[in-house]
Amino acid sequence: MDNSKRRDKGMIYRVNDSILEEQKPARILTQKLNTMDRSDYKGISEVVKELFGISDNAFVNPPFYCDYGFNIEVGKDFFANYNCTILDVCKVKIGDNCLLAPNVSIYTAGHPVHPALRNTLYEYGAEVVIGNNVWIGGNSVVCPGVKIGDNTVIGAGSVVTGDIPSWSVAAGNPCRVIRPVTEKDLKYYFRYYEIDDEAMADIERIWHESGDDEKYPK
């Protein structure tokens, strides 16, 4: 079995010339993206769509780095801030309305622990799945094989080594659940800073126009 097929089946594999050829389009596109006029929002969005393929209104603030691009699937309204790295040896599936803060890294790539194996240059990939409405804080790392549930917040500086359930606030190294996300969180925008009446009226209008007023009640 050739190494590309081994990689795609989740088996250990070695990087060879054929795999490097598969990475060339992403290298060309990320170089283009990372040298564009930062105010060319339309142009950036077009390159991101070409890079990811499957996307709806995705935007990435350059610089951005990935291996293949075609292994990254993002839902609608995806946003990644500056200096995001996604090592997409295998699938990275990200849901709708997800936000990645600056310096977030998502890794599907890994190497064997034992040096005798590692020095053969065999490596592996393990899929990462991130649900809908997830916000990952700055300087966080998501490790191979991790699943993060819907409506979850990952605190800044976290190292996510294991699965995180839906409706959670989680943080730390290793990342652990701190508390659930509840309806009480609808009242505050940061810690104990309450949302003012004018902003809440506009938020309720946005919910109503999007059909989410029953999903997110006052």
Side-chain angles (χ1 to χ4, degrees):
M1 188 184 302
D2 68 42
N3 281 289
S4 293
K5 289 180 180 178
R6 295 184 64 88
R7 177 200 61 202
D8 295 344
K9 286 180 175 291
M11 303 167 69
I12 59 171
Y13 72 98
R14 293 186 69 189
V15 173
N16 57 13
D17 289 343
S18 176
I19 285 175
L20 292 177
E21 281 295 316
E22 291 182 56
Q23 294 182 2
K24 277 188 176 180
R27 289 174 181 257
I28 291 168
L29 285 170
T30 52
Q31 181 177 2
K32 180 179 180 181
L33 176 66
N34 294 339
T35 56
M36 291 181 72
D37 181 343
R38 297 298 197 266
S39 65
D40 184 6
Y41 304 121
K42 182 179 179 181
I44 290 171
S45 295
E46 290 172 351
V47 174
V48 169
K49 187 169 185 64
E50 186 178 358
L51 182 63
F52 291 170
I54 300 174
S55 62
D56 181 5
N57 197 35
F59 191 83
V60 171
N61 262 333
F64 172 79
Y65 307 96
C66 67
D67 283 329
Y68 299 92
F70 58 73
N71 275 332
I72 302 170
E73 296 181 8
V74 300
K76 66 180 182 180
D77 299 326
F78 169 78
F79 175 74
N81 219 325
Y82 306 107
N83 208 38
C84 178
T85 298
I86 301 179
L87 300 186
D88 57 324
V89 164
C90 56
K91 288 293 184 183
V92 175
K93 298 178 180 178
I94 301 175
D96 295 340
N97 308 308
C98 287
L99 308 174
L100 307 185
N103 301 307
V104 167
S105 296
I106 299 173
Y107 304 147
T108 67
H111 303 272
V113 171
H114 198 290
L117 291 174
R118 195 165 58 249
N119 292 344
T120 66
L121 302 184
Y122 267 92
E123 57 185 75
Y124 65 89
E127 180 180 84
V128 169
V129 179
I130 297 171
N132 299 316
N133 311 311
V134 173
W135 174 27
I136 300 180
N139 294 294
S140 293
V141 176
V142 179
C143 293
V146 162
K147 293 178 174 60
I148 298 174
D150 296 341
N151 309 306
T152 285
V153 175
I154 304 297
S158 295
V159 179
V160 190
T161 59
D163 295 352
I164 303 295
S166 299
W167 292 98
S168 299
V169 176
N173 181 5
C175 189
R176 294 285 186 269
V177 174
I178 296 172
R179 66 174 180 85
V181 176
T182 70
E183 287 195 5
K184 291 182 180 179
D185 292 300
L186 290 168
K187 187 176 181 181
Y188 305 99
Y189 62 91
F190 175 62
R191 294 180 180 169
Y192 299 106
Y193 292 78
E194 291 191 29
I195 300 171
D196 62 272
D197 292 341
E198 181 182 4
M200 182 55 75
D202 191 46
I203 288 167
E204 290 173 357
R205 176 191 61 79
I206 294 168
W207 286 343
H208 180 71
E209 290 178 356
S210 63
D212 286 337
D213 45 352
E214 293 184 3
K215 187 188 300 183
Y216 303 122
K218 185 167 69 172

